[in-house]
Amino acid sequence: MNTKHTSHITAISGLLLAAAIGLHIAGFHDWRQAVLIVATVIAGTPILIKAFKALRMKAFSIELLVTIAVIGALFIGEYVESAAVTFLFLFGAFLEARTLEKTRSSLRALVDMAPLEATVIRDGETITISVDDVELGDRVIIRSGEKVAVDGHILTGTAILSEAAITGESVPASKTIDDRVFSGTILDNGFIKVIADRVGDDTTFARIIELVEEAQESQSKTEKFLDRFANMYTPTIVVLSVIVYIFSRNIEMTLTFLVIACPGALVISAPVSIVAGIGNGARNGVLIKGGDIMEKLAKIDTVVFDKTGTLTRGRPEVTDIHSFAGDPDHLLRLVAEAEMISEHHLGQTIVKEAKKRNLSIVNEPQNAKVIKGNGIRARIDGKLLAIGNRKLMASEGIRIEESVEAYAIQREKAGNTAIFASIDGKVAGILSIADRIRPEAAQALQQLRASGVKKIIMLTGDNRHTAELVAAQLGLDEVHAELLPEDKVAMIQKLKDAGHKVAMAGDGINDAPAIATADIGLAMGEGGTDISMETADVVLMADRLDQFSHAYSLAKATVRNMKQNTFFAVGTVVLLLAGVLLGKVFLASGMLIHELSVLIVILNAVRLIRYTKRKSESQQAEPILVTE
């Protein structure tokens, strides 16, 4: 039964109750009783139907207890009680449904922001079509005030885009040629043409809606326990009510006991908190994939970070090209041609630098092989190239001269990653690449510690000198450098075996195994790869570490809220039952208090929708550092 239908029946029942009071005052007692019976039947019918449906599913519902109590009240002639109980139960259900809608407001707001139409150029003509009809490779036109209908990159034009629906960031982002744009964002100012890279259900916006829907429907361990508890609790209460009647011989007390013992507030105490917490996260650009994840996240005591694109911005730049023999641009061209097949940040940075210098990248790499965590090997224009770290050079049997090693260490101590480039078995040069620590990183890590994280560790495939420099600037507890993906997995497992609850944050393909191994996996959404986002339990859509600190403090606040609700719900039932057995609480008044307790539980959970973490006044500078 929907909320609108419930409101209509509740309104009719309420009017009949008011009419019964009027008839009582006027002295028409027979008419009053008839009106009360009609009010009971009208309000009680939907309750009876729900109880019957639950019984057919072999479930003992709250509605069953109310139905038994109402039939009993009618049987003994307590018409006021029967009418009041059915009205209060329906009214409480109506208010509960309306209030619960608020906890799902973030998802509804997301769905409302979904674009419906797109303007595309086909066969030289500009046409407006449904977003479902947009195809990969279509050129999509977006004007000021319009919603972006696809994920893609800008072909022409510049724009100021509001990306709050994706990243949770309120500050608009400036976009120009080749920049990525996302479905669901709004063009505040400008005019752009976009090439559609992802359409329909594959867009980032569609995936966000799907993830949030799945998260809000999934159950935490606490919710599952409460569901099992309710199924056992209801028949237990029926048995206890019979025992109360045997000892008291008081049918009214027995019926009151039956109704007051309904675990309404207890059953919703956890789900309403989880839904509100997930909604808050979605509104702030954090996707938490379910109640179970929320509970696990709240228990985390150790956080492990990858460096590239996680602690650093993931926007590396080539700072120096040192060739030991020949032209640096010639070396850069050869390395860029080999790196064309690489998905790694460093490889793409080298390719970007070559294009920036207008170098002609024409040769296709032959017999290319990516050695995960070490580098790449390929044949270019008849030359055998090996490009990567010291481990790659060693595995290829390439000797690093002392002068070459000294230069590499010098660059690393200056905050660069040194990429060794060998040609035909000899180191031909070193490419230095640098990145910046994320400006919010230090503050976010400080907030994590303040919220309860005991240990913060960095695992990186980068060189030891650079890794230690990053760790020193961010005040990390431990740093482990020059690791392969399987080494990261082993470190995570070691921490778990030692009894730590571990969260792993990363953004690359090589981070996916470690993310999957950790108790909680976190991925960067905007800059992260699809596999790391799919593997992760929590996705930070704006690629900001302060979103992680918000997610962690939000998870703890959500679990606290669940405990508060559970304690209040149990306490209310215990006090009411004591009042019933002592003859101080009666059917209608008890039901009123019971429904108020349900609403208080919901309103307490709704506070999570507006939850914000404490902000530190300290700000972090942006020292230049390297990526992995």
Side-chain angles (χ1 to χ4, degrees), residues 272-509:
V272 71
S273 299
I274 292 294
V275 170
I278 289 172
N280 178 296
R283 197 179 70 241
N284 286 282
V286 181
L287 301 184
I288 301 173
K289 298 180 181 178
D292 194 29
I293 303 302
M294 186 78 79
E295 287 186 322
K296 286 182 180 179
L297 181 58
K299 296 175 182 177
I300 292 299
D301 58 33
T302 301
V303 179
V304 177
F305 287 100
D306 169 52
K307 182 170 66 60
T308 306
T310 306
L311 290 175
T312 62
R313 289 187 173 201
R315 299 172 191 168
E317 295 179 357
V318 175
T319 59
D320 181 69
I321 301 169
H322 188 85
S323 176
F324 296 112
D327 180 19
D329 278 356
H330 176 68
L331 176 66
L332 175 62
R333 180 182 65 79
L334 288 175
V335 172
E337 287 175 339
E339 293 284 3
M340 283 295 290
I341 66 165
S342 173
E343 294 184 355
H344 197 278
H345 294 283
L346 299 188
Q348 291 304 305
T349 299
I350 292 168
V351 173
K352 190 185 295 184
E353 180 66 20
K355 290 179 177 178
K356 184 178 174 183
R357 297 189 184 197
N358 295 316
L359 300 180
S360 179
I361 303 175
V362 293
N363 293 307
E364 294 245 349
Q366 303 296 319
N367 302 321
K369 182 179 180 182
V370 175
I371 296 94
K372 226 175 235 188
N374 285 338
I376 189 170
R377 183 178 64 232
R379 190 170 289 278
I380 299 290
D381 197 20
K383 299 179 176 67
L384 181 62
L385 274 71
I387 305 147
N389 56 23
R390 291 173 179 83
K391 288 181 179 179
L392 179 65
M393 297 298 107
S395 67
E396 295 292 313
I398 300 169
R399 183 170 175 269
I400 299 176
E401 303 284 345
E402 286 186 14
S403 59
V404 174
E405 178 66 18
Y407 177 78
I409 291 174
Q410 174 195 333
R411 297 303 299 167
E412 289 168 352
K413 287 184 175 179
N416 294 270
T417 295
I419 305 297
F420 294 84
S422 74
I423 299 177
D424 292 332
K426 185 176 180 180
V427 177
I430 289 178
L431 290 80
S432 300
I433 298 180
D435 194 7
R436 295 177 184 270
I437 286 180
R438 292 182 181 274
E440 78 281 1
Q443 182 179 335
L445 300 189
Q446 196 175 46
Q447 289 170 339
L448 283 171
R449 291 189 191 278
S451 298
V453 171
K454 303 291 189 247
K455 185 181 289 189
I456 300 178
I457 300 170
M458 183 174 72
L459 305 181
T460 176
D462 208 348
N463 67 84
R464 178 173 52 83
H465 301 291
T466 301
E468 288 176 351
L469 186 59
V470 175
Q473 296 204 30
L474 291 177
L476 305 182
D477 298 305
E478 292 181 25
V479 57
H480 301 272
E482 301 176 8
L483 301 178
L484 296 173
E486 54 265 34
D487 298 328
K488 294 181 180 180
V489 172
M491 288 296 300
I492 297 290
Q493 192 60 54
K494 184 178 178 181
L495 288 166
K496 290 176 65 177
D497 291 343
H500 295 287
K501 299 296 182 183
V502 184
M504 168 70 191
D507 77 322
I509 291 175

Side-chain angles (χ1 to χ4, degrees), residues 306 343-345 372 485 506-515 528-532 535:
D306 169 52
E343 294 184 355
H344 197 278
H345 294 283
K372 226 175 235 188
D507 77 322
I509 291 175
N510 62 336
D511 297 323
I515 287 172
T529 60
D530 286 346
I531 189 170
S532 60
T535 306

